[in-house]
Amino acid sequence: MERRPTIVDVARQAGVSKGLVSLALNDRPGVNQATKERIQAAAAEIGWRPNPAARSLTSRRAYALGLVVKRDPRIIETDPFFAAFIAGLETVLSDRGQVLVLSVVPDAGAEERSYRSLAADGRVDGFILTDLLRHDRRIALLAELGVRGVTLGEPDVPTTLPAVRREYEDGIDDLVRYLAGLGHERIAHVAGNEDMLHGRARREQFERVAAALGIEARVVPTDFSPEQGADATRTLLALDPGVRPTPIVYGNDPMAVAGMAVAQGAGLRIPDDLSVTGLDGSQIGQYVYPALTTLDNDPVEWGRVVASTLLDLVDGHEPVDRSLTPARLIVRGSTGAPTPRL
């Protein structure tokens, strides 16, 4: 096996001392810029890379971030958000010599054990908290463990953790007003898990806008899975035509795609007989037929900003909340004016 280059090799290549190499490659003071650049060039030329184990011993850092996901694997499997979100995380982590430690757990007990184990073993420098719940216990748990973290969205409990958030209110407002403008008078929302803050917030905004417009609104809660999205669609389509909604707004795009399949399987034409929308802008919505009206979400942007925010915190910077580009309405072929009843 080929020997891995060491800082001794870098020092020999650059014609400087081993100590000077250590200072330069760890970005410490005491090395002028010209010498630092010569050392960095020498390291790149011979293919030197930092040794994670040695780096952890000297810096007391794991050079890893933790993501513990408490969701049914079947939901993660069918939700493109997670794959794109992780891709966004990795674009930042790989560039900064970090790794992601991912743990998918089935319940709250396993979730807490995972947090405690990763923190106690020093395997991560901080945690990414997704799917915030009402009165989320993880906020207090991270404070108890004395570890850093960042949240996707604002918790509803006191916290010192920085939050990365995206504003959906105007996008949902635009979506409901757009549907009303097309002539729809009865609108359904197939909502996500009501225990999740983002699912509840989307449902509440939908109801507020519908009430302000005088539109008859119906809500069917689900767990965000395509299976329950499909079941909710069957329930809505079984209603008497006089009270059946003419558009359905789904809490995420995978449920919307499942709902379209149910409706088309029942012989309905989209959007002539039923308009369908999602709410989180996954790429798959562009490739179904007709293409899915939704809100832009950009999970890759979520991942990049979340990773950068947490790494800044790990590096000793003050916690800073960050706001992403607000979600905006994307109109595609799955929505249209309702067909007049004869």
Side-chain angles (χ1 to χ4, degrees):
M1 184 179 295
E2 186 177 352
R3 185 176 70 88
R4 178 177 183 151
T6 68
I7 62 171
V8 173
D9 300 315
V10 177
R12 185 180 301 113
Q13 182 76 9
V16 298
S17 70
K18 174 183 171 183
L20 203 59
V21 170
S22 179
L23 291 174
L25 295 179
N26 287 288
D27 201 24
R28 292 175 181 167
V31 187
N32 66 53
Q33 187 61 32
T35 302
K36 181 183 293 187
E37 290 175 359
R38 187 166 89 251
I39 291 171
Q40 290 171 340
E45 185 177 346
I46 67 173
W48 177 88
R49 291 181 294 108
N51 185 309
R55 198 164 52 148
S56 296
L57 287 173
T58 58
S59 66
R60 296 180 180 272
R61 282 180 54 174
Y63 294 94
L65 302 182
L67 175 60
V68 181
V69 179
K70 181 176 69 68
R71 278 210 190 190
D72 188 321
R74 67 192 172 90
I75 298 176
I76 298 175
E77 178 184 0
T78 56
D79 190 346
F81 176 89
F82 281 99
F85 175 66
I86 290 173
L89 292 173
E90 290 289 359
T91 61
V92 174
L93 295 180
S94 61
D95 186 58
R96 294 174 64 168
Q98 315 280 321
V99 297
L100 179 69
V101 177
L102 174 64
S103 178
V104 179
V105 296
D107 53 49
E111 180 182 44
E112 180 173 340
R113 289 192 297 274
S114 187
Y115 278 106
R116 291 187 180 278
S117 173
L118 290 171
D121 295 344
R123 293 176 57 194
V124 299
D125 297 314
F127 289 99
I128 299 160
L129 274 62
T130 65
D131 293 337
L132 290 179
L133 304 176
R134 288 183 286 181
H135 314 301
D136 202 308
R137 298 181 301 174
R138 294 175 295 172
I139 305 298
L141 176 61
L142 263 60
E144 175 196 336
L145 297 174
V147 294
R148 306 171 187 87
V150 62
T151 62
L152 273 68
E154 293 276 4
D156 63 355
V157 295
T159 179
T160 59
L161 303 179
V164 176
R165 53 185 173 241
R166 189 189 300 281
E167 188 267 307
Y168 289 89
E169 285 81 0
D170 288 347
I172 294 174
D173 188 303
D174 290 344
L175 172 59
V176 178
R177 291 183 182 278
Y178 159 70
L179 293 172
L182 291 174
H184 295 284
E185 298 176 349
R186 299 182 306 277
I187 302 178
H189 177 40
V190 176
N193 188 335
E194 286 283 298
D195 289 331
M196 294 182 183
L197 294 185
H198 70 283
R200 183 177 64 174
R202 294 177 185 186
R203 187 263 300 166
E204 290 176 346
Q205 182 65 14
F206 167 81
E207 291 177 326
R208 278 194 294 268
V209 180
L213 296 175
I215 291 175
E216 181 183 337
R218 183 185 297 267
V219 175
V220 182
T222 72
D223 64 357
F224 277 121
S225 71
E227 291 88 350
Q228 290 201 9
D231 289 343
T233 306
R234 295 186 187 97
T235 298
L236 292 168
L237 296 183
L239 295 172
D240 183 83
V243 297
R244 182 190 303 161
T246 50
I248 303 177
V249 177
Y250 292 85
N252 65 18
D253 287 12
M255 287 200 298
V257 172
M260 289 173 67
V262 169
Q264 291 169 329
L268 298 182
R269 298 166 301 164
I270 297 173
D272 297 335
D273 302 319
L274 178 71
S275 285
V276 172
T277 86
L279 280 182
D280 62 4
S282 61
Q283 292 293 319
I284 192 65
Q286 299 181 57
Y287 304 111
V288 297
Y289 182 80
L292 183 66
T293 293
T294 188
L295 298 186
D296 187 17
N297 192 20
D298 195 353
V300 173
E301 182 191 18
W302 272 107
R304 288 197 305 264
V305 176
V306 165
S308 297
T309 301
L310 185 49
L311 288 177
D312 286 348
L313 192 63
V314 171
D315 287 339
H317 299 288
E318 290 296 315
V320 176
D321 294 341
R322 291 191 167 98
S323 295
L324 305 177
T325 309
R328 60 182 177 86
L329 174 62
I330 303 174
V331 176
R332 298 192 182 115
S334 67
T335 47
T339 300
R341 291 199 341 236
L342 300 177

